Amino acid sequence: PKATSSASSVAAAYRVPLREPHVVVRVRPLAEEGGHSANGKHVYKRLVSWDNGEIVLDDNVELGDGQRSKAGVLSRPQVYTFARDILGTDADQESVYKSSASELVRSFVQDGYNALLFAYGQTGTGKTHTIFGHTSSWDDVNHEQAGIFPRAVVDIFKELRSQSSTTAFVLTASAMEFYMCQCTDLLDENKHCVIGDDHAPLGL
């Protein structure tokens, strides 16, 4: 037989339905400070617009002495159209969860297949706030500032309670952070994780 490495063939062989990954972009409010530098000159991304599934970014380079590049000079507009949903600066935690994770949670409980939620962004863009919520919400999963992770846990158990009482469930969960090529276990006081030869984290 002819060998193949396509994802569809692997899914068919193991009868595991592959879901198309969905990208949701959250735009955080403007920060008081931050950004990166190139050769001592400040570089930052200017969010030109976001609407109708399209995000337009513009690189701006500070020329020194606080002077910034004029329109059309050292400006590199970039257009991104991969997002299913784009949530603006006024989006609350509940709407972020509904847009990015609620459908995944329902599928996870009803179909019984593994689910992965991946948050990506620069330092300071709001990943921890989005995933875990504001620190004031950490002792109350029903807090309005609760993040995706506690909301998902609540919804999972709600869904399980609605299932047949004769059905048994076994759940496992991991929360990992990859930063500067290091993996840490967020459920075990940021303990360092070792990645095995099969790319699976060890010691979780």
Side-chain angles (χ1 to χ4, degrees), residues 95-118:
S95 61
V96 172
Y97 172 74
K98 288 182 177 178
S99 177
S100 62
S102 60
E103 180 182 338
L104 192 64
V105 168
R106 285 194 299 271
S107 175
F108 163 70
V109 175
Q110 294 172 3
D111 301 331
Y113 297 113
N114 293 345
L116 170 67
L117 185 69
F118 187 82

Side-chain angles (χ1 to χ4, degrees), residues 58-135:
D58 194 12
D59 281 358
N60 285 263
V61 181
E62 198 169 275
L63 300 177
D65 299 326
Q67 297 180 352
R68 292 173 181 153
S69 58
K70 297 180 180 179
V73 180
L74 295 178
S75 180
R76 298 169 292 184
Q78 302 162 14
V79 180
Y80 300 92
T81 59
F82 53 78
R84 182 183 70 170
D85 292 318
I86 301 174
L87 307 176
T89 57
D90 59 344
D92 57 21
Q93 296 286 71
E94 182 180 6
S95 61
V96 172
Y97 172 74
K98 288 182 177 178
S99 177
S100 62
S102 60
E103 180 182 338
L104 192 64
V105 168
R106 285 194 299 271
S107 175
F108 163 70
V109 175
Q110 294 172 3
D111 301 331
Y113 297 113
N114 293 345
L116 170 67
L117 185 69
F118 187 82
Y120 177 82
Q122 292 178 199
T123 299
T125 53
K127 298 183 300 297
T128 300
H129 176 79
T130 297
I131 296 297
F132 290 105
H134 191 273
T135 53

Side-chain angles (χ1 to χ4, degrees), residues 188-200:
D188 190 15
E189 299 181 347
N190 295 328
K191 181 179 178 181
H192 180 66
C193 302
V194 178
I195 306 299
D197 294 336
D198 59 352
H199 306 293

